[in-house]
Amino acid sequence: MPSLEQARAWYPPQDPVHGFDHVLRVLELAERLGRGLGADLEVLRAAALLHDAAGAAPAPAAAAAAEQTEQAGGRATHELDSADFARSVLQAEGWPAERIEAVTHCIRAHRFRGAEGPSTLEAQVLFDADKLDVLGAFGVARTLGYALQAGQSFFAEPSARFLETGALEPGEPHSAYHEYLFKLRHVSGRLHTEPARRLAERRHAVMKAFFEQLAAEAHGDV
Ligand SMILES: [Fe+2]
Ligand SMILES: [Fe+2]
């Protein structure tokens, strides 16, 4: 099992969006949810520590391309790259193949817009723990942090086309508010486990209130 200090070194030291503090929150939530649900905690813990280890942070040069990459499913393969990295780490530790596969499935399936859905309890718990950290106060803070990193605004007026289809009009800037409309407001409805759904209620309400207030202030309504 990788130690916390080992895992810390895999993540950027100063990244409030995909840095190690996110991983620690996911680890704690995953262990809490997993314990209550009878999940395999060793698999879950390794998966949580490794889940964003490769390619999750936007490269410094990503700002200009962020709009397109986000729309095209930004950070498109970080779940696959992280799963490959996890395999090499756990093989070096001598884990048996089927337990490595249990961990790498969790990692491949943790992404909201990923191709592979979580098919084991451990993968569902990791997915839910990771998604709880895009809701609530930390979720809002991370979404604003991501917008800053990518050179996007906190708020831009969404087009009718974006509201209907989720696709940007030509020249329409992506913003943190767009991310809320397109993804974040749907996350709590996509969770897999009952205890995570309960935790998500307040986090969803906090995030919704923030982005509704943001839009109201941008429109000068309040
Ligand atoms: Fe991720
Ligand atoms: Fe994550």
Side-chain angles (χ1 to χ4, degrees), residues 143-144 147 152-155 174-180 184 211:
T143 301
L144 299 179
Q152 298 168 354
S153 301
F154 296 145
F155 179 88
H174 196 77
S175 71
Y177 185 63
H178 282 67
E179 187 67 6
Y180 165 70
L184 300 176
F211 280 107

Side-chain angles (χ1 to χ4, degrees), residues 18 22 51-56 75 78-79 82 107 110-112 130-131 142 183:
H18 289 102
H22 160 67
H51 82 279
D52 280 333
R75 307 186 291 116
H78 87 275
E79 73 278 24
S82 296
I107 296 172
H110 87 270
R111 186 156 165 259
F112 189 69
D130 189 53
K131 298 307 156 267
R142 293 178 67 223
K183 170 183 164 184

Side-chain angles (χ1 to χ4, degrees), residues 56-69:
E67 182 179 312
Q68 294 92 313
T69 53

Side-chain angles (χ1 to χ4, degrees), residues 109-134:
H110 87 270
R111 186 156 165 259
F112 189 69
R113 287 170 268 199
E116 182 172 334
S119 65
T120 62
L121 175 60
E122 290 74 24
Q124 292 178 342
V125 168
L126 179 69
F127 180 99
D128 285 4
D130 189 53
K131 298 307 156 267
L132 283 167
D133 205 44
V134 299

Side-chain angles (χ1 to χ4, degrees), residues 1 6 49 72 90 102 111 115 129 165 190-191 201 203-204 222:
M1 172 66 63
Q6 234 180 313
L49 287 173
L90 299 178
R111 186 156 165 259
T165 67
R190 291 266 310 268
L191 299 177
E201 279 175 27
R203 292 179 187 227
H204 177 85
V222 286

